[in-house]
Amino acid sequence: MPSELTLYNTLTRKKEVFQPLVEGHVGLYVCGPTVYNPVHLGNCRTFVSFDVIYRYLMAKGYKVRYVRNITDVGHLTDDGEDRMSRGARLEQLEPMEVAQKFSNQFHDMMRTFNALPPSIEPRATGHIIEQIEMVREILANGYAYEVNGSVYFDVEAYNNGNDERYGELSGRRIDELMAESRELKAQGEKRNPSDFAIWMNASDDHILRWDSPWGSGFPGWHLECSAMSTKYLGERFDIHGGGNDLKFPHHENEIAQNVGACQHAGARYWLHTNMLLMNGKKMSKSDGNTISPEELFTGDSIHVSEGYDPMVIRFFMLQSHYRSTLDLSDEALQAAKKGYQRLLEAWNSLQEMQASGSAQNGTVGKELTAGLEAAYAEMDDDFNTPKALARVFELVSRINALQGGQLSLDEITARQLTEFRDGLGKLLFDILGLQNRASANGADREALDKVMQIVLDLRQQARADKDWALSDKLRDALQDAGVTVKDGKDGATWSV
C-alpha cells in the first residue's frame, strides 16, 4: 500500500502529512530568477530540487499548477540600485533586453538540466496593476503608510503587540531583524527600521517606473510574489518554495503582505533548499572559489579535472537531500560520474533480460518489487532523493547478479519483470528527471549498436586467439572514448 507523503514545513519546523486544499490538486509557487545576469549554479540546484518535487507530485496523481516567476523589476542591490538597471548599464542594453537575454539563457540552462517548464511563468513587469492593487488593499487594511510617494509596510501594526509574529518563518526576533535592517536610499523616512517598502518613489534617473496613486515609482521586490501567487493560486494555496537565502527577508515579507492584503498567510507549506558549497566553503568570486554551470560542462576551470555531463551533475545534486548543504568538488563529481554510469549499465542490462519464471516461482521478482516500493517510500519522506537512490543501488546489485547468473531468471515472472522495469524507469527518468544518454536517440543507437557489435566481435576473437595485446588495445581505446565494456557469461556488453 502506498505510503503518505510527508513534507518538512519550514513554517512549523516539523514534518507534516501533506493534505492539499483541494483533493487531487496542488498549487505550487517557487521564487524564480532575477534576470539581470547568468543563473548561478546554486540557483540551478534549487530549481532542480523543485523540478523533482513537481515531478513527484504529478507521479502521485496530483494535478499540479506550478507557478515560477521571473523578477525583472524591484530587486535592489545593497546600494539601492535596481538590479535590472545595473544589468542594463553594464551590458549597455535596455532593461527589457537584459531581461529577455538572461531569461532565454535561464530557460536554456533549465532544458540542459532536463527541468520541466512551470505551468505559468509570470513576470513582475507584467503584473504592475495587480501589485498596485495589493498595495491599495494593504493600506486600506491599516498595515502600511505612505511617505513622499513611497509606501511602507508597517511591521508594528502587523505585529499588533505580538513581537514574534513578524519573524515566524525565519525564527528571528524583531529586535534582531531591526538591528540587521539595511538602509536603502530615501528610506530614512520609515517609521521603524524593520518596515519595508512595498512601493518606491522613483528618482528622476530611475529607468523602470510606472504611474501609481502615490506618484511615479516601482514595486518592492517582495510584493511581486505575493501578488502573482495570489492571482494564479488564490489567497490560500498549498506549497511555496525557494532557497534558504530567501527565507528572510523575502519570504517573511511575503507572508506579512499576504496577511495585510488578504488576511491569510498564503501558502500552507513552506519548503526551502539549502546552499551549495564548493570544496567545503561558500562560493565566492572574491576568493576564486566559484564555478559557473558552463565551466562545469566544459571543464574550463581550475576546480575540475574534466567537463561533466549535465546529467552527471543532476545525479550528483540528487545525492544530497534538498534541505541539506551540497558540497561540490571534483572528487565528488568523479564519484557521481561512476555511480551514474553504473546505474545506466544496470538499466540497459535490465532491458535485455527475459524472465522465465512461472507464476508460482517469483521469489526474486518479489524482492525486486519490495525494493522498488522501499525507494518510493523514501520519496514519500519529504522527497528524500539520496535515500531513494540508495535503495535503487541495492536493486542495481540485484540486477547485476541476475545478469551475472548469481541469481536465476527462473525466479522472476514476465509480469514481475515488466512491472519492475516500468516502476524503476518511472522513478529514474520521469521523477528524478535523469536521462539515459546511451539510448536516447533510437536510430543513432541502433546504428551504433551494429558498429559496437563488430568491435566486440573483433575483441572476442582476439581473446579467443590469445592476442591479449589487441584485446587490451581495443578495450583501452573504447574506454578513452567513454565506452565501458563488461564481460559476462553470455558475452560482452557495452555502455556509455
Side-chain angles (χ1 to χ4, degrees), residues 72-74 82-85 94-96 125 200 202-203 205-210 216-219:
D72 55 2
V73 69
D82 187 285
R83 292 178 189 269
M84 296 306 304
S85 297
E94 287 292 321
M96 288 303 99
T125 53
M200 299 188 70
S203 60
D205 60 349
H206 199 92
I207 302 174
L208 294 166
R209 59 199 299 154
W210 291 265
S216 179
F218 57 96

Side-chain angles (χ1 to χ4, degrees), residues 295-350:
E295 289 170 335
L296 207 48
F297 301 153
T298 63
D300 186 19
S301 168
I302 61 171
H303 297 295
V304 290
S305 59
E306 62 176 296
Y308 292 96
D309 189 294
M311 285 302 100
V312 169
I313 301 167
R314 183 175 177 119
F315 175 74
F316 164 72
M317 291 177 177
L318 299 180
Q319 289 181 303
S320 179
H321 191 272
Y322 76 89
R323 287 192 289 112
S324 301
T325 56
L326 177 63
D327 190 5
L328 181 78
S329 68
D330 192 56
E331 293 78 9
L333 289 168
Q334 285 289 323
K337 179 182 175 182
K338 291 176 182 176
Y340 187 53
Q341 188 175 51
R342 182 172 172 236
L343 180 62
L344 292 187
E345 286 171 3
W347 170 256
N348 292 331
S349 296
L350 184 63

